[in-house]
Amino acid sequence: MSKRDELIEKYAEDIKSKFGQTPDIDLLTKVAIGLGPAIYNLDASKVSGSDEKELETVKNNFLIKKLGLAETPALMESINSVIDAYGKSEKNKHRAVIYYMLAKHFGKESVYN
């Protein structure tokens, strides 16, 4: 099994255990591939839920640029709801899982097709 496959398996387990959902492995794989080498970097592969600058980066670079959403207060609300569902105390909030959950939340899975 490749390192990427191992990471995707870990992400899928987080989606099951933290969000109570059965992950769409195809979409999760595409999100992970879309993140490129960042998934292998310990710092870049995680999102700090308490760092406002980090959350702004998720909003601007992922929700607005990648998913093509308009700038509204709902964007930050959705990021915070995913962070809350992941668990504020969970240190390892994987970027791929957060991006996957946000893509699902906004119905933007087609961006990865």
Side-chain angles (χ1 to χ4, degrees), residues 14-15 18-21 27-28 31 62 78 82 85-86 95-107:
D14 269 10
I15 292 167
K18 305 286 183 192
F19 298 93
Q21 297 181 17
L27 176 62
L28 185 55
V31 170
F62 183 67
S78 63
V82 169
Y86 214 135
R95 187 173 302 278
V97 173
I98 290 173
Y99 284 15
Y100 169 91
M101 295 304 295
L102 288 168
K104 296 284 275 183
H105 173 80
F106 287 105

Side-chain angles (χ1 to χ4, degrees), residues 27-107:
L27 176 62
L28 185 55
T29 300
K30 289 175 182 174
V31 170
I33 290 169
L35 285 166
I39 64 172
Y40 306 109
N41 179 299
L42 195 58
D43 187 47
S45 68
K46 310 268 192 311
V47 171
S48 171
S50 59
D51 183 346
E52 288 301 318
K53 188 170 178 260
E54 174 96 30
L55 300 180
E56 281 292 323
T57 300
V58 171
K59 180 180 83 173
N60 292 325
N61 292 354
F62 183 67
L63 295 180
I64 295 172
K65 289 180 185 169
K66 177 78 176 172
L67 298 187
L69 299 171
E71 165 82 53
T72 67
L75 298 184
M76 197 53 81
E77 290 168 17
S78 63
I79 292 169
N80 285 321
S81 74
V82 169
I83 297 288
D84 288 344
Y86 214 135
K88 285 271 188 197
S89 63
E90 173 62 55
K91 284 188 174 199
N92 294 319
K93 294 179 190 74
H94 297 286
R95 187 173 302 278
V97 173
I98 290 173
Y99 284 15
Y100 169 91
M101 295 304 295
L102 288 168
K104 296 284 275 183
H105 173 80
F106 287 105

